[in-house]
């Protein structure tokens, strides 16, 4: 079946612009994660949803970052007033369930954001 | 807070040679450890997890709680093993979020 998809795959923004990154998880997956991966670094956790509820947003670096998943499926990560330090690959992952028992997280291809 | 360290950013071996990718973690409790792999132009995918105690593509990893390590090993490297490898950790108190190391780029030369 189809895996996690993300759009756009590449985004170039001028500093100060707002951007919106979309994630389509695997159908039926309850949990959805966003990670930020800077050049030469491993992915870093941003936020996590269980269905439409955002249960953890402790990794969001500033209040310019906002994520939503209103119907418990597609999620959007929005970055307001982008800065050069926001340049990174943004990864989305989904898994069947969540909680104490780990279920494999399936990753999307990522969106590469470049802020000029 | 938990942390994962992969001391080698780059690792180069010849085909048929043994390979070991190092991973150390800092966490006082009982974490779950994973290895993720990203082949060229492909997405990040799970390679193996310590709970499964299985060998995937000839790779194994043993959790050593005394040394807080989870090194990835393969006795005979193949060219198709060339990829970026990430060690990751999950702790119960942080839900299902993963904490990743910085990754090791493995190159297997012919």
């Amino acid at each position: 079946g189809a895996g996690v998809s993300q759009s756009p795959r590449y985004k170039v923004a001028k500093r100060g612009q707002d951007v919106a990154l979309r994630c389509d998880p695997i159908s039926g997956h309850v949990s959805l994660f966003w990670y930020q991966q800077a050049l030469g670094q491993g992915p870093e956790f941003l936020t996590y949803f269980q269905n439409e509820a955002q249960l953890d947003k402790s990794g969001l670096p500033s209040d310019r970052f906002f994520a939503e998943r209103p119907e418990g499926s597609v999620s959007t990560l929005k970055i307001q007033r982008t800065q050069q330090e926001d340049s990174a690959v943004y990864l989305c992952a989904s898994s069947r369930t969540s909680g104490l028992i780990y279920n494999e997280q399936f990753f999307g291809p990522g969106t590469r954001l470049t802020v000029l | 807070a938990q942390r994962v360290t992969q001391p080698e950013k780059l690792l180069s071996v010849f085909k048929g040679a043994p390979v070991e990718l190092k991973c150390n973690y800092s966490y006082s409790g009982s974490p779950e450890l994973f290895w993720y792999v990203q082949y060229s132009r492909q997405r990040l995918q799970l390679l193996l997890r310590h709970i499964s105690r299985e060998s995937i593509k000839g790779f194994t990893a043993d959790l050593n709680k005394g040394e807080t390590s989870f090194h990835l090993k393969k006795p005979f490297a193949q060219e198709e093993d060339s990829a970026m490898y990430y060690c990751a950790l999950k702790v119960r108190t942080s839900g299902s979020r993963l904490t990743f190391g910085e990754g090791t780029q493995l190159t297997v030369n012919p």
Side-chain angles (χ1 to χ4, degrees), chain A residues 3-5 33 35 37 40-43 45 56 58 91 98-102 104-105 107-109, chain B residues 9 32 34 36 38 43-46 49 86 90 92-103:
Chain A
V4 177
S5 61
F33 305 81
Y35 294 86
Q37 185 172 20
Q41 304 293 316
F45 171 81
D56 186 353
S58 62
L91 296 171
S98 182
L100 298 180
I101 299 175
Y102 179 79
E104 180 178 349
Q105 292 183 25
F107 283 81
Chain B
K9 274 200 173 290
E32 290 186 55
F34 309 85
Y36 274 78
Q38 187 166 25
R43 57 189 68 190
L44 199 59
Q45 59 185 284
L46 179 65
R49 48 189 294 201
Y86 294 96
K90 170 190 174 304
R92 284 178 171 248
T93 53
S94 297
S96 291
R97 61 188 285 182
L98 294 172
T99 298
F100 286 88
E102 294 188 350

Side-chain angles (χ1 to χ4, degrees), chain A residues 4-9 21-24 32-38 41-48 67 75 77 79 88-94 105-113, chain B residues 36-38 42-45 86 98 100:
Chain A
V4 177
S5 61
Q6 294 184 244
S7 61
R9 292 292 312 278
L21 313 180
R22 176 187 169 107
C23 172
D24 285 83
L32 186 145
F33 305 81
W34 284 99
Y35 294 86
Q36 180 191 57
Q37 185 172 20
Q41 304 293 316
E44 289 192 7
F45 171 81
L46 292 177
T47 187
Y48 154 63
S75 177
L77 176 67
I79 309 173
V89 175
Y90 290 85
L91 296 171
C92 176
S94 70
Q105 292 183 25
F106 293 86
F107 283 81
T111 294
R112 182 178 297 278
L113 172 65
Chain B
Y36 274 78
V37 62
Q38 187 166 25
Q42 294 187 27
R43 57 189 68 190
L44 199 59
Q45 59 185 284
Y86 294 96
L98 294 172
F100 286 88

Side-chain angles (χ1 to χ4, degrees), chain A residues 35-73:
Chain A
Y35 294 86
Q36 180 191 57
Q37 185 172 20
L39 188 63
Q41 304 293 316
E44 289 192 7
F45 171 81
L46 292 177
T47 187
Y48 154 63
F49 291 85
Q50 186 169 325
N51 294 308
E52 68 278 3
Q54 189 174 20
L55 299 186
D56 186 353
K57 55 181 180 179
S58 62
L60 296 176
S62 77
D63 58 8
R64 296 186 295 103
F65 286 71
F66 172 77
E68 60 183 4
R69 194 186 184 197
E71 297 179 357
S73 179

